[in-house]
Amino acid sequence: MKRIGFLSFGHWNPHPQSAVRTASDVLLQSVELAVAAEELGADGAYFRVHHFAQQLASPFPLLAAAGARTSRIELGTGVIDMRYENPLYMAEDAGAADLLAGGRLQLGISRGSPEQVVEGYRHFGHDPLEGESDADMARRHTARFLELLEGEGFAQPSPRPMFPNPPGLLRVEPHSEGLRDRIWWGAGTRATAQWTAAQGMNLMSSTLLTEDTGVPFHQLQAEQIQVFRDAWREAGWQREPRVSVSRSIFPLVSAEDHAYFGADRASSDQVGMIDGTVARFGKSYAGEPDDLVRQLAEDEAIAAADTLLLTIPNMLGVDYNAHVLESILTHVSPALGWRD
């Protein structure tokens, strides 16, 4: 069975036509949509993280709140920009949120996307070391974060502590057992997918790849997934890895659907530039359910992944996005054999 969840970029805008006008709106509606997705039978609620923008930024309060309101659905990120993160503080926040959610966190992390401000991570107190790029710094933060999630003690206890300590070196608390296996890396290339496998992280691949070989997006992404799986086997990890891909999919089953997304029926792959690098962007899928089933059956990357994240237009509100999820789960997923 393929796991199906949503991925929200968490936009908010005070425009009168927006259903999400404030930061409070987007946080509260994100929790409500997670609840609705669980009731509909979806498997995951994932949230994008962007700093210095009118979007979701600090994921752990949101994940903890969604965890308190749900009981089954996976709760994740796609992705946390590791240039901005203090690994120790992040390990504490992640451990606490995962315990509150009963071990349901699936954390996507990465080097991050183009920023809203110039070198925004410096405002958070993080500077690359001499000779180190910002991407190198993100991987250094990641390595430390993964070490902390192993739960091994490393800090020398005080000889005069406020409270009694257990014997030996101390670790960051609270520690959530198993969270280390639920960390994903957002990889934009085949080489990064190979590196991801070597680190023992799951693979998260989005609707763009920061390379282009001239083949359709879904084929290049399927190749990336195969590179990851091959590298995972070579690394000798004992568990089975997970792989997710993101897609924009809109069944046209109502007049409202046609008004919003009817024009996307003509969508196609795009090649452009991102951060000075050639990138291939995947198309959106929009159409009547039968047509969607035919198109999606040819998507090699979706077939290769165990998890599909549906990127949603969150500013259209909870009710409409719940309708989109229900349409996919009802009219598209069964015909493709994604769900039992």
Side-chain angles (χ1 to χ4, degrees):
M1 184 180 79
K2 197 177 298 295
R3 292 180 174 91
I4 300 175
F6 71 80
L7 172 61
S8 172
F9 277 53
H11 295 282
W12 57 273
N13 191 307
H15 191 279
Q17 292 185 343
S18 171
V20 189
R21 300 183 185 180
T22 68
S24 176
D25 286 344
V26 73
L27 287 163
L28 294 172
Q29 289 190 27
S30 294
V31 174
E32 293 302 322
L33 185 56
V35 172
E38 180 169 271
E39 292 173 349
L40 290 168
D43 304 295
Y46 286 72
F47 304 97
R48 192 72 167 87
V49 178
H50 277 118
H51 300 288
F52 298 104
Q54 291 183 346
Q55 292 178 247
L56 296 169
S58 52
F60 294 109
L62 172 58
L63 295 172
R69 291 284 308 280
T70 58
S71 61
R72 178 190 56 80
I73 198 169
E74 294 180 342
L75 303 164
T77 52
V79 292
I80 297 172
D81 188 332
M82 292 302 291
R83 294 174 294 182
Y84 285 76
E85 294 298 323
N86 176 318
L88 279 86
Y89 195 62
M90 183 178 176
E92 288 185 343
D93 276 353
D98 193 44
L99 291 170
L100 286 167
R104 289 182 284 133
L105 260 58
Q106 303 284 343
L107 296 181
I109 63 176
S110 191
R111 174 258 187 204
S113 58
E115 300 180 275
Q116 294 296 110
V117 299
V118 176
E119 297 181 336
Y121 47 84
R122 296 187 187 273
H123 296 288
F124 280 57
H126 302 299
D127 296 296
L129 302 176
E130 185 176 352
E132 186 181 56
S133 69
D134 62 333
D136 294 332
M137 179 177 67
R139 292 191 179 196
R140 172 166 54 84
H141 288 175
T142 297
R144 183 61 176 142
F145 177 59
L146 295 177
E147 287 177 357
L148 294 165
L149 293 185
E150 295 287 354
E152 299 297 326
F154 62 92
Q156 186 68 40
S158 169
R160 293 179 296 277
M162 181 177 294
F163 307 105
N165 281 321
L169 300 177
L170 303 182
R171 67 187 183 186
V172 166
E173 299 287 0
H175 173 70
S176 185
E177 194 70 35
L179 180 56
R180 170 62 177 84
D181 290 343
R182 289 179 272 117
I183 306 301
W184 309 56
W185 186 265
T189 66
R190 291 162 295 175
T192 304
Q194 193 171 33
W195 175 85
T196 301
Q199 312 312 307
M201 290 185 283
N202 302 309
L203 177 66
M204 183 172 281
S205 193
S206 74
T207 52
L208 71 88
L209 294 170
T210 51
E211 60 181 345
D212 179 43
T213 63
V215 303
F217 174 83
H218 71 97
Q219 292 180 359
L220 181 59
Q221 192 173 48
E223 184 180 340
Q224 180 198 41
I225 293 170
Q226 188 59 54
V227 166
F228 169 77
R229 294 194 187 281
D230 291 344
W232 187 275
R233 284 192 296 271
E234 291 173 8
W237 299 108
Q238 296 304 302
R239 66 180 178 87
E240 187 68 21
R242 289 185 58 185
V243 174
S244 74
V245 297
S246 301
R247 292 291 185 273
S248 298
I249 303 173
F250 300 104
L252 304 180
V253 298
S254 70
E256 193 174 26
D257 297 330
H258 281 272
Y260 284 138
F261 299 107
D264 285 345
R265 283 181 292 192
S267 177
S268 61
D269 288 358
Q270 301 292 323
V271 177
M273 301 291 292
I274 184 167
D275 267 358
T277 302
V278 176
R280 178 168 283 269
F281 301 81
K283 68 178 183 178
S284 296
Y285 289 94
E288 285 70 22
D290 289 347
D291 188 41
L292 281 182
V293 169
R294 179 187 58 78
Q295 293 184 57
L296 291 167
E298 299 174 354
D299 192 309
E300 296 176 17
I302 292 180
D306 60 78
T307 301
L308 172 63
L309 300 182
L310 304 165
T311 59
I312 59 163
N314 78 281
M315 283 201 297
L316 294 180
V318 174
D319 288 346
Y320 183 74
N321 282 292
H323 158 73
V324 171
L325 293 174
E326 184 175 24
S327 295
I328 293 170
L329 292 171
T330 302
H331 300 298
V332 177
S333 173
L336 287 163
W338 291 348
R339 308 295 292 272
D340 294 335

